[in-house]
Amino acid sequence: MPIRVGVIGAGVMGADHIRNLSAAVNGAEVTFVADLDAGRAAAAAPPAARTTTDPSELINSSEVDAVVIASHDSTHAGLVLECFEAMTPVLCEKPLAPTILESLDVVEAEADILAATGGRLLSMGFMRRFDPGYTALREATRIRSNGEPLMVHCTSRTATAGPGASSESAITNSAIHEFDIIPWLLGTPITEVSWQAGRSSRHSTGDLQDPALMLLRTADGTLATLELFLNAQYGYTTRCEVVSESGTAVLPEPAALVVHHEGQQRSVIPADWRPRFADAYRLQIQAWISALERGDTPPLATGEDGLRASQVAQAMIRSLHSDGAFTKVIY
């Protein structure tokens, strides 16, 4: 029997999970979809799946074996705790929660479950850990093929910022990926951060200073930089380079059609993150489903990983409000 999955949130991310679970992942069946917009839930759900506007109905349904949470960030912690009460495995999109206190509540609740049952229920959706380029970059860094790593340079650009984006939400919702992946690449935690910005794009509105440059120092002294530009206009790109003592290792650009015509070379840049990380999302959710089929703990990021990324984010927000002062990360 396939793992019966309920998906909470039928927006861009949730709909993508539904498509993967229905067409690209073995051993899964989407049986229930919840969204506050009933029409959106119906449009995203497979023909045989039930829909609801009440996520609690989905979580407590006898037709659901596991839950994917892809709803608004502010709902994550509460929904994960409901899944714990139902003893239902859950894959939660990043971030774990917008605040440290909420993240701590989730991690402490799962610790109680782990002590009582010996098993975990929560997996975090830091899908870059499953991207073939990032996994190759991590392996090259782990074996020190170019000597000891000295610096890491990251770039993350999107075409346009989402509605209501602010400098704080850019940290907790977008930069959060690098806050997870940099320690994962280097095998050492981030201990100190600084938020910097210069001129802001005329396309930036509200409380969003865009682009921003973030500096991150790890426990072993490696310095990382992140350029985050949410209104880059031209499309979506992600880059990462590890600079070591005797060489560098660079995340490869995804393969794309290259056209030569009338003295020019052109290639298509994706409009958002989905084409770039399609393999990562598919591999991550397949690993999750396969582990649930075997009764194993899924090899995904944990709630503790989500908490640590949130702790880095909160330190970055403190730096943002302290004129870019280097700020210690409190774990």
Side-chain angles (χ1 to χ4, degrees):
M1 293 291 290
I3 301 293
R4 300 170 302 171
V5 182
V7 179
I8 300 174
V12 173
M13 193 68 263
D16 203 52
H17 280 308
I18 291 167
R19 283 190 292 271
N20 268 331
L21 286 161
S22 300
V25 171
N26 295 322
E29 176 187 8
V30 176
T31 56
F32 219 144
V33 176
D35 195 280
L36 295 178
D37 184 328
R40 188 163 59 185
R50 291 179 59 194
T51 63
T52 181
T53 58
D54 180 8
S56 297
E57 180 187 1
L58 182 153
I59 291 169
N60 293 287
S61 171
S62 61
E63 300 173 36
V64 168
D65 302 316
V67 172
V68 173
I69 296 174
S71 49
H72 191 272
D73 295 355
S74 62
T75 68
H76 288 187
L79 293 173
V80 169
L81 291 174
E82 283 196 52
C83 289
F84 287 174
E85 290 177 8
M87 292 301 291
T88 301
V90 54
L91 169 58
C92 180
E93 273 300 326
K94 57 77 192 169
L96 178 55
T99 69
I100 295 298
L101 288 178
E102 290 174 290
S103 298
L104 280 169
D105 285 344
V106 172
V107 169
E108 289 171 358
E110 189 179 35
D112 291 340
I113 293 171
L114 183 62
T117 68
R120 291 182 178 271
L121 293 177
L122 175 61
S123 298
M124 286 298 303
F126 285 118
M127 83 295 174
R128 293 187 187 185
R129 295 178 177 217
F130 287 84
D131 177 72
Y134 273 108
T135 55
L137 184 59
R138 186 193 193 206
E139 179 62 16
T141 304
R142 186 188 67 80
I143 65 174
R144 300 298 195 259
S145 57
N146 294 320
E148 291 297 317
L150 306 174
M151 299 185 77
V152 180
H153 298 298
C154 303
T155 302
S156 182
R157 298 176 184 157
T158 60
T160 57
S166 66
S167 293
E168 288 195 4
S169 70
I171 291 168
T172 59
N173 187 268
S174 297
I176 198 85
H177 276 297
E178 276 76 20
F179 300 163
D180 173 71
I181 211 68
I182 289 170
W184 181 81
L185 282 173
L186 298 175
T188 183
I190 296 167
T191 56
E192 192 177 25
V193 300
S194 172
W195 183 95
Q196 304 288 332
R199 295 180 62 189
S200 191
S201 167
R202 62 185 174 86
H203 300 290
S204 179
T205 59
D207 295 326
L208 176 63
Q209 184 84 10
D210 190 49
L213 181 68
M214 304 180 202
L215 307 177
L216 309 100
R217 186 174 284 117
T218 62
D220 66 358
T222 305
L223 184 66
T225 66
L226 166 61
E227 178 212 306
L228 183 65
F229 192 6
L230 299 187
N231 287 289
Q233 301 298 298
Y234 66 84
Y236 180 88
T237 54
T238 296
R239 301 187 181 111
C240 185
E241 178 182 23
V242 178
V243 180
S244 299
E245 293 172 305
S246 59
T248 70
V250 184
L251 189 71
E253 291 288 335
L257 178 67
V258 177
V259 177
H260 295 139
H261 181 64
E262 294 182 347
Q264 293 184 334
Q265 177 176 298
R266 302 191 310 274
S267 61
V268 176
I269 298 173
D272 62 32
W273 69 91
R274 288 172 294 173
R276 168 63 184 85
F277 288 111
D279 285 344
Y281 279 112
R282 177 181 54 79
L283 291 168
Q284 174 187 250
I285 209 159
Q286 182 66 75
W288 183 60
I289 291 295
S290 296
L292 295 181
E293 285 184 306
R294 296 190 304 268
D296 297 340
T297 298
L300 279 68
T302 65
E304 286 87 349
D305 294 320
L307 172 60
R308 282 188 286 269
S310 294
Q311 289 165 328
V312 176
Q314 290 303 309
M316 192 68 76
I317 290 172
R318 291 197 299 274
S319 177
L320 162 69
H321 293 299
S322 303
D323 296 323
F326 266 98
T327 304
K328 297 290 186 183
V329 180
I330 301 172
Y331 291 110

